[in-house]
Amino acid sequence: MDGRAVAPAAGTVLNALATGTGSAFAIDLETTATVELTDSGETVGRVDGHPDADTTLIERCVDLTLDEFAASAGLDRSTVGARVRTESEVPMAGGLKSSSAAANATVLATLDALAVSDAVDRIDACRLGVRAAREAGVTATGAFDDASASMLGGVTITDNTSDELLARDEPDWHAAVYTPPTQAYSADADTAACERIAPMAELVEELALDGRYGEAMTVNGFAFCGALEFSTGPMLDALPDVTGVSLSGTGPSYVAVGDRDTLAGVRERWDEREGTTRLLQTRTDGTRIQTP
């Protein structure tokens, strides 16, 4: 039995490293996972285009999903295994939630292979991927904010300490993304520095819960650029024209939101910098089964 699912990436409104509360929104870059069930009892993962990539996360996602749902699909967990493969438009270690997208796509593809996806609530599937991310050591917080935005679409606000969804909304945005030619792994972020800016993160949370996402993003961006020692230059390139702009995750990418014409101008300015720029739609749909 085979399964296939597609998950969008996400940008940051509030980084959860300071207080445990985070917020993110889905953007139109996708990761696809394909899962083929076997009778080997083992799970083997592969990342297309990255033969040396660490596959611990996607393998753990498959294993946790099989542990939870193999029996309800009529399979013997002791003998069922899988081959899982991901392919992605999302830059790895770019701050655009590549791990969350991979985890969501893999969990949903496994549920599809088991033919039980319709019986599992999407937020519960999301929590499986978050658990796998924690166990794989690819995130400091579990990234429930990022994962929920990718799984559900739109903007989500979450308590990452309890994996609780606090709010969800669907603002009408486009997004511009600038990714410098460097990588920054979430698990390596200076969490102590981030915790020192908790008062600013609490302000961002208040703004986000009030629906003032653009202001929230911008305050978050300046605060976390300071804590994580990233340049504020790309943010200044976008201001004051955009609705909001922020460092995304723990960097190195920056993301701005607003109307498409304004963002096209921002993209031109970002194009003068070394790296990659993209002009994207935000997504109000989330992770989905991909039928043949």
Side-chain angles (χ1 to χ4, degrees):
M1 293 181 283
D2 295 347
R4 187 175 174 90
V6 180
T12 294
V13 174
L14 169 59
N15 189 317
L17 282 175
T19 64
T21 299
S23 178
F25 60 96
I27 58 175
D28 195 23
L29 289 173
E30 293 185 333
T31 295
T32 302
T34 304
V35 173
E36 177 188 356
L37 299 184
T38 69
D39 57 5
S40 69
E42 296 181 345
T43 299
V44 179
R46 177 165 63 90
V47 178
D48 263 14
H50 300 275
D52 298 324
D54 187 345
T55 56
T56 303
L57 172 61
I58 58 175
E59 290 168 354
R60 192 70 188 128
C61 285
V62 172
D63 285 338
L64 288 177
T65 307
L66 291 176
D67 289 347
E68 191 77 18
F69 297 105
S72 60
L75 299 175
D76 181 352
R77 178 63 185 102
S78 66
T79 60
V80 67
R83 286 189 287 269
V84 53
R85 174 175 56 86
T86 60
E87 49 190 310
S88 186
E89 303 170 336
V90 189
M92 297 175 69
L96 299 175
K97 329 305 183 187
S98 59
S99 294
S100 292
N104 282 342
T106 300
V107 169
L108 213 59
T110 308
L111 292 171
D112 184 35
L114 292 169
V116 297
S117 62
D118 289 344
V120 180
D121 188 272
R122 288 294 187 264
I123 204 69
D124 290 332
C126 179
R127 290 188 178 103
L128 270 181
V130 168
R131 179 181 162 194
R134 289 186 177 125
E135 293 181 4
V138 299
T139 171
T141 66
F144 185 59
D145 50 342
D146 306 336
S148 63
S150 171
M151 181 63 81
L152 302 176
V155 174
T156 60
I157 305 171
T158 64
D159 182 342
N160 285 13
T161 63
S162 62
D163 292 347
E164 179 186 0
L165 180 66
L166 303 176
R168 180 179 176 273
D169 198 1
E170 296 185 356
D172 183 16
W173 287 338
H174 285 79
V177 178
Y178 165 57
T179 305
T182 56
Q183 291 183 312
Y185 290 91
S186 299
D188 296 334
D190 186 344
T191 55
C194 294
E195 288 167 357
R196 287 195 289 273
I197 60 169
M200 298 304 298
E202 290 167 356
L203 171 60
V204 175
E205 178 184 348
E206 291 177 14
L207 291 168
L209 287 170
D210 197 37
R212 297 163 66 184
Y213 306 115
E215 294 164 86
M217 284 178 68
T218 305
V219 175
N220 178 85
F222 281 116
F224 278 90
C225 279
L228 298 172
E229 300 185 354
F230 282 95
S231 171
T232 57
M235 293 185 59
L236 295 172
D237 288 343
L239 293 171
D241 303 331
V242 298
T243 301
V245 60
S246 182
L247 182 74
S248 193
T250 55
S253 294
Y254 299 77
V255 60
V257 296
D259 68 79
R260 190 174 183 86
D261 289 343
T262 298
L263 293 174
V266 172
R267 182 181 184 178
E268 288 180 6
R269 294 193 286 277
W270 280 350
D271 276 339
E272 297 175 7
R273 295 179 175 271
E274 187 179 4
T276 303
T277 59
R278 300 172 175 86
L279 189 56
L280 305 166
Q281 288 188 305
T282 54
R283 290 275 294 271
T284 55
D285 63 330
T287 305
R288 65 193 189 280
I289 301 296
Q290 189 172 63
T291 55

